[in-house]
Amino acid sequence: SKKSVQTTESGKLKVGLVFDVGGRGDKSFNDAAYRGLEKAKNELGVDFEYIEPGPGADREAALRQFATRPDIKLIFGIGFIFTDEITKMAQEFPNKDFACVDYTYDQTKTIPPNLLALEFKEDEGCFLVGAIAGLTTKTQAVGFVGGMESPLIKKFEKSYEAGVKYVNPECKVFISYAGVTGDAFKNPGKGKELALGQYSQGADIIFHASGVTGLGVFEAARETKKLAIGVDSDQYNEAPGFILTSMIKSVDVAVFDCIRQEKDGKFNGGKAETFGLNSKGVDYIYNDKNNNLISEGTRKRAEEIRELIIAGKIATFLK
Amino acid sequence: MNKVIYSILGPLAAIIIALFIGAIIISLIGKDPVEVYGVLFYGTLGNSYGIGQVLFKATPLIFTGLSVAFAFKAGLFNIGAEGQMIIGGFAAAWTGFTFVTLPWIILIPLTIIAAFVGGALWGFIAGYLKAKYGSHEVINTIMLNFIAAALASYLVNEIYGIPATIHTPEVSGSSFLLRFDAITGLFPGSPFNTSFLAAILCTIIFYFIINRTPFGYQIRTLGLNKNAAEYARMKIKKLVVLSMLISGGIAGIGSINFIFGYKHYYELGFSEGAGYIGIAVALIARNNPFAIIITAFFFGILEYGGLTINTMVPKELVTILQALLIILVITFVRIIDVLKIKFLKSA
Amino acid sequence: MIENIFTYAFLLQTLRISVPYFLPSLGAAYSEKGGVVNIGLEGILLTGAFFTTLGTYYTQNIWIGILCGLTAGFLIALIHGIATITFKADQIVSGIALNLFALGLTKFLCRIIFNSSSNSARIPGLETVNIPLLSSIPILNNIFITFCIILLILSQIIFYRSKFGLRLRAVGENPAAADSLGINVLRIRYAGVLISGLLAGLGGAWLAFDQHSFTDGMSAGRGFIALAAMIVGKWKPMGAAAACLVFGFAESISIQFQGTAIPTQFIQMLPYILTIIILAGFIGKSTPPAADGIPYENTNK
Amino acid sequence: MLAVEMIAITKTFAEKVIANNSISLSVKKGEVHAIVGENGAGKSTLMNILYGMYPPDKGKIQINGNEEIINSPARAIQLKIGMVHQHFMLVPPLTVLENIILGSEPEKNLLLDFKKAKERVSQITSSFKIDVNLETKIENLPVGLQQRVEILKLLYRNAEILILDEPTAVLTPQETNELFNTIDFLKSEGKTIILITHKLNEVKAISDTITVLRHGKVVGVTGTENATIESIARLMVGEDKIYEEKKANIREKKLILEVKNVTVLNENSVEAVKDVSFEINSGEILGIAGVEGNGQHELVEAISSIRKPAKGKITLNNAELKEEHNIAHIPADRHRNGIVMDFSVAENLILGREKENLFKKDITIDESKVKTFAEKLVHEYDIRPVDIDIKIKSLSGGNQQKAVVAREITKNSDLIIASHPTRGLDIKAASFVHNALIKESDKGKAVLLVSSDLAELLKLSDRIAVIYNGQINVIFDADKTNEYELGLYMTGSKVKNE
Ligand SMILES: Nc1ncnc2c1ncn2[C@@H]1O[C@H](COP(=O)(O)OP(=O)(O)OP(=O)(O)O)[C@@H](O)[C@H]1O
Ligand SMILES: Nc1ncnc2c1ncn2[C@@H]1O[C@H](COP(=O)(O)OP(=O)(O)OP(=O)(O)O)[C@@H](O)[C@H]1O
Ligand SMILES: [Mg+2]
Ligand SMILES: [Mg+2]
């Protein structure tokens, strides 16, 4: 504890972050959050610590562990699954600040003033990559591989499908889930077989929202020389040449911004901050690595659709 | 006296060696073992919140340990406590959020009965298949675990779930099991709750049934010598079914700790593998109900301990320690036995 | 949907899915025929996968990778042997402990070495192997599948036609009898357990190559299913193989049936329900070797 | 020339039990040397030491005049010593041939050479006139043949010194005769045989020399021609008299058990008992004679309501047999069916009786009542050691059997079924069980006695039914028949009483 006294004395801001089940190194959601931390460390000179809890009761205990530490001021929970616990902790520790990525905002309840909810409009991004897939497919069939079947992932599935159908109503969309427990987010073997199944049935592009399981989808893409779409982070490097694009969430930016506000004493909780296409909080990847995979026409059309979504002229969600 | 020394010598040596190996690992990754162990100890047993967390983690393990042990007494290997806990938990939660108007005096027993019945149903399936078709309960209970997880997922996601979450609605306030924190002010902040008392009660009932009643006598006979049970004209099929059913029921009650004592709703994945750890708990406690409480407490330390040191070292260090400890204990028991005989002989 | 089942892709998928069941399952048969229950196979799969990945990652040579996976499997099995055969510890407790150990160790090392709680860096896979004659034959061009077929035939011969197999079966049924004939019971049991370690380690290698990386908990219960398959297959290599194919088939079907009107969860249940039905309806009682799970107290020592 | 010389062998188990206390044994080459003694006298232990299964604590062994350290069966086999254990050392699911070659397998091209093995075994079977099908699995063989296989194993390994530990305990007189013929033949071939048995008439009939053990010590060595059965018995049990209860002959007859046209199926749904009828009255002992495997087992299970008959009717006290009926049953295999090894003596004494009011307190079993009951039985039935709390597995076989007998015949039941009640027991324990059965029958109970020991049947029974191939075709009055006649019917040489 001597050390911690020193850090507070030095006046350095210290941040605690609790990861979602997948943990560090998932090359996707959690890693995006981690990038935000690193950036803050490099550019703002803050310190951080993190915990990777298991499922169940550990989330609260992990948050509490940080909340009871005198040297830690700001605490992140990464993932919608933290919603209840972080709300509770924010109420119990009014002197600390909290932020939760993918917080599930319940209109009937108020968010504590020391809690900032970070929401991402995945549906907009998914719709957009769905449209790109629908425009790019040559076989008139695309696929979706989800991790654990849950409302959140269903949302990805539905808006992706809506995007596909919006540009290509005749296109088939295959849908598979890797499982029904949290482990379904870390089962690449299953992901690969699911993807191979879809490819063998005629799909030529598969979008995944399945955490580490998606790495299996990419393997299948490499093996069959077909395309896949990444999620959360730019996943091009997981299968160079076979990743059509990625639906990215700027979790890193959100985390970084939040830390900067805290550092500047401008932390502004008690509300939900929403990141959508308009603020580039969600987006798709188009750069010199993958621009040869996305045709000029497709790119143009995608940008038009982006504008329509931002203008609220498209329902991004398939009922 | 000598006997006591010999019986603790093995585990003691095992603990020391396991901690020593752990220390080497910690040093290898450039951390200070003394500091890490210090935090581990302080975080779990060094403060009342930590102890509360440990007991909270231990509570379901007592139930699942008892569950596995009960079946074991009848010579059956129940790998299915996990699934039984899931189904029991869902049944209990459903009762809790459906009969919201009932007063606690009725609702709490009702939810516990529901937890028992749910788990018992899942255990019954394996028991019935064993009795009727002779199919191996080990495989069937493993399969039923997967099926239970899938079923719970369906029920939560498609029918009873709150949108955008992985849990059901909250159960009625009158079904809450109070935290010790709230009653006594002890263990502040930890979700350690009165379901622990239910676990203790369950342990006593377990002991009573197994060791004091004719039914328990029959169960033990079946477990030790099925052929003798048959010649004593015990109703073997009935006993097989009943013991799996009771075993499942006990595991089912294991769910109330999380559902009614902590979160107040059913959440997918709440069981955290307690059903599987229960097997280790029961086996290490040699199916002795009171030893199960102690073993569960010990596993509680390790279960929670990982989190306390997670900011310094990967929490899997604790899993490794846990595994080393089990292996060392079971081997050392034997080594000490051999040493003891040699010693006594030479004396 | 039905038409999807009778395709080459489906057949291949079934075989592929069966591989990581079959290898540990065959291993379990060796171990349990000799009288040692090895539920640590799950952990061996995982460790095998991790060290295969590690070896391949550092050398970029899959053969060295496989060697590392085999060695890891061997070592874990050796611990199991020392605990249960030499020190007569409870076989199931030891197995549980080894599974825990594997889970902890692999994730721990993954964190330390690859800086990730979930997966390793990418490694090359089997596509780099090119065996001149086989590569042109469908199915057999997958060296693991070819190898599994060879292993199965070989095991069938070893079990029922070789001295070792005879002794293994004797030791699992009545170790005292084998002992009284001058057979070293403990040594034969060690052999059975160590072979199971090698086979499960190889199963782990397949998992690693199939997805070109290690993932935390990637064995995903396959070791347990493999044990179940071995029991369904009545402790026989052929039986185990058949049971694994049934599992593979059921899982393949559950993959093909996704996205239909049936809720995913029920489709996911399919392989497990099928197993229960097969077990109740078609297999009947399967009796384990009489001394399976019972440590042998060698009276000489 | 001495084939075996064991000098001052001492062996202690679990720090306490002195199984062998400085025992010396000399066996001449080419003789049949009998070792006799009570249960627990240390016979098997001594032989296990000779065969390398246990290391002795002290003592030396010489084989053919050379001092040897026999630290494993493998070494014993090298020295051409072979042993047939009291509990057979066979692997049930393996075939006869596999069992024989196990441990000394002929190989060709890395594989088992079954052809060569078969040739060699056939050679032995024909020269020693032992007939058994090599392809059958052991589990499908009757015990008599399993015994054969054990001996074949020794011969296959060219054993010169053969140890047979209670080889006749499970054999019928005919099988015993055949075995003795084989032993004579082996002896004529110059082999040395060490034989352990409790049947003193056998000792008298076949052995050349006798060593008597008591409480782990040698109490006598004598040439067989100088000994009488009585003198051997006295050496064995000390000065204790063996007294045999005489059956009382007065009885008022009341029908207790009636078995009418009963057919019973075995595990493989084959008719093991076919259309069998008989009855037993109060105060009567009905003996069932038969070669093992002729349906006795299934018949007994049917009468004790463990197995449902496929056809026919069984009545007890004129009521149809129900599972709830209280029937005393001393099972043939005490380890398998009679006791729970890991239970204490007291717990075993209430096995199957745990629900009796005698032990009840509310819904529980009253431990103090159990204790009183158990202590009473332990004393009345002379079960030793006198400690109701030790695990029954630490009792000798004879004492375990006494516990089973005590438990069963103190049941308040009119019918007692006793299957092979004295198998493997020494003469003292056996006569104890005999006396107990006679006393019960004199009290008016009906007794069904199944045994392969014809002397026992003739001594105890009022009538003797012979079961052959699942059928009972004759029932004799015990005093109007003899072993020879029974033997003819048992083996099917005679089927109907002409
Ligand atoms: N302790 C036990 N351990 C393992 N399996 C058991 C145990 N007890 C019972 N079983 C299994 O349960 C099944 C039913 O047992 P039970 O002995 O009642 O059957 P049964 O004797 O064939 O039938 P019946 O009651 O009609 O005589 C058997 O298949 C047996 O394998
Ligand atoms: N492995 C063992 N561990 C402990 N005690 C043993 C062991 N084997 C034998 N004994 C004890 O040693 C004594 C001698 O046993 P042993 O089997 O040699 O007697 P035995 O003369 O062959 O008797 P029986 O006629 O019943 O076969 C007995 O008291 C027995 O309980
Ligand atoms: Mg029965
Ligand atoms: Mg003996």
Side-chain angles (χ1 to χ4, degrees), chain D residues 13 17 19 37-45 54 86 166 198 394 424:
Chain D
F13 285 112
V17 186
E38 286 178 281
N39 293 120
K43 308 177 293 289
S44 297
T45 305
Y54 304 141
Q86 189 169 350
E166 291 194 43
H198 288 295
S394 54

Side-chain angles (χ1 to χ4, degrees), chain C residues 128-192:
Chain C
T128 53
V129 186
N130 206 343
I131 296 171
L133 225 72
L134 285 180
S135 301
S136 53
I137 310 170
I139 294 178
L140 295 188
N141 58 11
N142 181 323
I143 54 161
F144 261 82
I145 292 177
T146 309
F147 194 60
C148 282
I149 295 170
I150 295 172
L151 267 179
L152 175 60
I153 296 167
L154 201 65
S155 296
Q156 194 70 15
I157 294 172
I158 290 177
F159 266 54
Y160 300 105
R161 287 271 170 271
S162 82
K163 181 166 121 181
F164 170 68
L166 179 63
R167 291 180 173 200
L168 188 70
R169 286 182 289 146
V171 155
E173 286 290 344
N174 189 349
D179 194 4
S180 79
L181 294 171
I183 291 172
N184 188 332
V185 175
L186 305 192
R187 195 154 70 200
I188 301 276
R189 286 193 164 182
Y190 261 107

Side-chain angles (χ1 to χ4, degrees), chain D residues 431-493:
Chain D
S431 73
F432 184 93
V433 172
H434 288 167
N435 291 346
L437 286 174
I438 289 171
K439 271 193 220 151
E440 290 306 310
S441 120
D442 286 348
K443 281 189 208 157
K445 295 194 176 178
V447 178
L448 179 70
L449 173 68
V450 179
S451 177
S452 49
D453 182 343
L454 294 184
E456 175 174 270
L457 282 173
L458 286 164
K459 193 172 82 190
L460 298 184
S461 313
D462 295 291
R463 291 182 297 141
I464 299 174
V466 180
I467 190 164
Y468 173 71
N469 203 8
Q471 286 172 308
I472 291 182
N473 292 322
V474 284
I475 301 184
F476 295 104
D477 280 338
D479 44 17
K480 297 203 183 93
T481 184
N482 55 44
E483 290 199 22
Y484 177 75
E485 188 181 25
L486 290 172
L488 290 179
Y489 284 91
M490 280 164 63
T491 50
S493 311

Side-chain angles (χ1 to χ4, degrees), chain A residues 168-318:
Chain A
N168 190 349
E170 298 306 308
C171 184
K172 253 199 193 158
V173 182
F174 298 110
I175 289 155
S176 307
Y177 281 88
V180 292
T181 62
D183 286 343
F185 287 111
K186 42 182 206 180
N187 193 348
K190 188 73 181 269
K192 183 173 175 185
E193 289 305 338
L194 290 172
L196 286 176
Q198 294 187 351
Y199 286 136
S200 79
Q201 288 175 40
D204 61 350
I205 302 168
I206 298 176
F207 174 44
H208 88 92
S210 59
V212 179
T213 301
L215 300 182
V217 176
F218 299 153
E219 281 312 326
R222 284 185 196 242
E223 215 170 281
T224 54
K225 310 221 177 335
K226 303 220 163 108
L227 293 171
I229 300 175
V231 77
D232 291 342
S233 295
D234 179 1
Q235 297 191 304
Y236 185 84
N237 291 331
E238 300 310 318
F242 303 100
I243 306 294
L244 177 62
T245 179
S246 297
M247 193 293 282
I248 55 161
K249 279 161 77 170
S250 52
V251 175
D252 47 349
V253 178
V255 167
F256 178 80
D257 283 349
C258 183
I259 296 174
R260 191 175 53 202
Q261 287 166 16
E262 178 74 38
K263 187 160 190 265
D264 299 344
K266 292 185 192 146
F267 181 85
N268 192 3
K271 62 167 189 185
E273 205 168 310
T274 310
F275 300 85
L277 277 177
N278 56 352
S279 60
K280 302 239 170 202
V282 298
D283 206 343
Y284 69 93
I285 295 284
Y286 183 84
N287 56 24
D288 47 8
K289 284 190 200 151
N290 72 341
N291 58 13
N292 59 330
L293 296 173
I294 299 177
S295 74
E296 205 40 54
T298 303
R299 163 78 173 163
K300 244 195 216 132
R301 187 79 200 280
E303 289 306 313
E304 284 165 31
I305 293 172
R306 175 204 297 277
E307 295 313 320
L308 288 172
I309 295 174
I310 292 174
K313 291 193 178 135
I314 292 179
T316 53
F317 209 69
L318 189 77

Side-chain angles (χ1 to χ4, degrees), chain B residues 74-75 130-131 134 222 226 230 236-237 240, chain C residues 285:
Chain B
K130 171 95 186 182
L222 175 64
K226 187 190 164 211
E230 192 176 359
I236 291 180
K237 292 185 178 189
V240 166
Chain C
K285 273 180 205 176

Side-chain angles (χ1 to χ4, degrees), chain D residues 48-231:
Chain D
N48 280 327
I49 289 172
L50 178 58
Y51 189 61
M53 302 282 283
Y54 304 141
D57 299 340
K58 287 197 202 102
K60 278 192 290 197
I61 301 175
Q62 290 181 2
I63 303 297
N64 300 324
N66 307 317
E67 183 162 338
E68 303 283 355
I69 292 176
I70 309 177
N71 52 10
S72 70
R75 179 69 192 137
I77 293 167
Q78 273 175 7
L79 294 169
K80 296 199 188 308
I81 303 171
M83 177 162 175
V84 176
H85 293 82
Q86 189 169 350
H87 303 282
F88 292 164
M89 294 288 192
L90 294 167
V91 186
L94 300 189
T95 65
V96 170
L97 185 64
E98 287 173 324
N99 265 283
I100 292 173
I101 63 174
L102 184 63
S104 321
E105 306 86 346
E107 282 186 294
K108 195 170 142 190
N109 303 330
L110 290 173
L111 295 181
L112 291 174
D113 190 348
F114 281 120
K115 194 159 153 262
K116 188 161 154 215
K118 219 177 272 176
E119 275 166 16
R120 185 157 152 54
V121 175
S122 309
Q123 208 183 330
I124 298 168
T125 49
S126 59
S127 64
F128 287 89
K129 305 190 184 64
I130 298 173
D131 190 22
V132 50
N133 180 359
L134 299 181
E135 302 301 334
T136 320
K137 287 188 176 170
I138 295 291
E139 59 198 2
N140 299 328
L141 281 187
V143 262
L145 282 179
Q146 293 186 13
Q147 173 83 261
R148 286 293 123 97
V149 177
E150 284 282 24
I151 293 176
L152 279 175
K153 276 163 66 179
L154 308 195
L155 299 175
Y156 179 81
R157 285 165 180 73
N158 295 318
E160 289 297 324
I161 301 165
L162 286 78
I163 307 165
L164 309 178
D165 192 351
E166 291 194 43
T168 59
V170 292
L171 299 189
T172 61
Q174 278 70 19
E175 287 171 329
T176 304
N177 267 337
E178 280 175 44
L179 174 68
F180 283 0
N181 288 338
T182 309
I183 290 179
D184 275 335
F185 186 72
L186 291 169
K187 186 176 147 185
S188 72
E189 296 274 293
K191 309 219 181 243
T192 308
I193 289 132
I194 304 177
L195 175 76
I196 298 176
T197 175
H198 288 295
K199 298 179 182 164
L200 299 184
N201 54 343
E202 294 176 356
V203 173
K204 194 68 193 140
I206 189 111
S207 71
D208 301 306
T209 314
I210 305 168
T211 296
V212 185
L213 301 187
R214 190 158 92 227
H215 300 319
K217 288 187 182 155
V218 177
V219 292
V221 182
T222 166
T224 307
E225 66 276 17
N226 309 324
T228 61
I229 291 187
E230 289 70 31
S231 70

Side-chain angles (χ1 to χ4, degrees), chain D residues 196-440:
Chain D
I196 298 176
T197 175
H198 288 295
K199 298 179 182 164
L200 299 184
N201 54 343
E202 294 176 356
V203 173
K204 194 68 193 140
I206 189 111
S207 71
D208 301 306
T209 314
I210 305 168
T211 296
V212 185
L213 301 187
R214 190 158 92 227
H215 300 319
K217 288 187 182 155
V218 177
V219 292
V221 182
T222 166
T224 307
E225 66 276 17
N226 309 324
T228 61
I229 291 187
E230 289 70 31
S231 70
I232 307 167
R234 208 167 321 113
L235 272 175
M236 273 175 66
V237 300
E239 291 313 306
D240 297 5
K241 277 248 175 58
I242 294 174
Y243 109 106
E244 290 277 351
E245 189 99 19
K246 283 268 157 10
K247 257 182 92 49
N249 241 337
I250 8 102
R251 57 184 80 100
E252 99 197 55
K253 290 199 177 170
K254 195 177 103 201
L255 182 64
I256 303 280
L257 176 75
E258 187 177 12
V259 175
K260 219 169 172 183
N261 306 107
V262 164
T263 295
V264 189
L265 306 184
N266 69 8
E267 279 73 20
N268 307 321
S269 303
V270 177
E271 290 187 358
V273 175
K274 296 170 203 154
D275 196 23
V276 160
S277 303
F278 60 84
E279 46 199 54
I280 313 179
N281 294 313
S282 58
E284 188 182 29
I285 299 182
L286 176 74
I288 303 268
V291 175
E292 190 101 343
N294 274 280
Q296 300 92 318
H297 176 68
E298 289 79 5
L299 179 63
V300 162
E301 288 201 339
I303 296 173
S304 56
S305 86
I306 293 165
R307 195 187 282 265
K308 278 213 162 53
K311 275 184 233 147
K313 200 168 139 189
I314 303 174
T315 54
L316 191 61
N317 288 326
N318 296 317
E320 189 157 348
L321 185 70
K322 282 196 299 278
E323 262 190 64
E324 290 69 31
H325 261 126
N326 192 8
I327 298 164
H329 182 186
I330 302 164
D333 186 339
R334 61 176 166 266
H335 286 176
R336 192 178 147 84
N337 303 113
I339 56 178
V340 178
M341 291 291 233
D342 285 304
F343 273 178
S344 70
V345 173
E347 281 175 308
N348 269 292
L349 285 172
I350 63 163
L351 181 63
R353 306 180 58 173
E354 66 279 354
K355 285 187 170 162
E356 282 182 19
N357 286 329
L358 187 57
F359 311 117
K360 236 187 198 158
K361 186 169 84 186
D362 308 323
I363 57 162
T364 65
I365 297 177
D366 185 337
E367 294 208 340
S368 65
K369 286 181 185 161
V370 172
K371 186 167 186 260
T372 319
F373 171 77
E375 264 160 7
K376 185 167 145 251
L377 255 56
V378 163
H379 284 110
E380 275 175 20
Y381 288 83
D382 190 30
I383 300 166
R384 277 180 281 180
V386 189
D387 179 354
I388 59 165
D389 291 323
I390 55 168
K391 287 195 173 165
I392 202 159
K393 68 178 168 196
S394 54
L395 264 56
S396 75
N399 283 299
Q400 290 172 348
Q401 185 71 0
K402 284 187 206 165
V404 174
V405 171
R407 176 184 76 215
E408 294 302 322
I409 66 184
T410 53
K411 262 185 189 171
N412 189 14
S413 106
D414 292 332
L415 173 66
I416 297 173
I417 304 171
S419 275
H420 308 278
T422 60
R423 184 177 272 175
L425 297 196
D426 65 42
I427 41 175
K428 212 166 104 194
S431 73
F432 184 93
V433 172
H434 288 167
N435 291 346
L437 286 174
I438 289 171
K439 271 193 220 151
E440 290 306 310

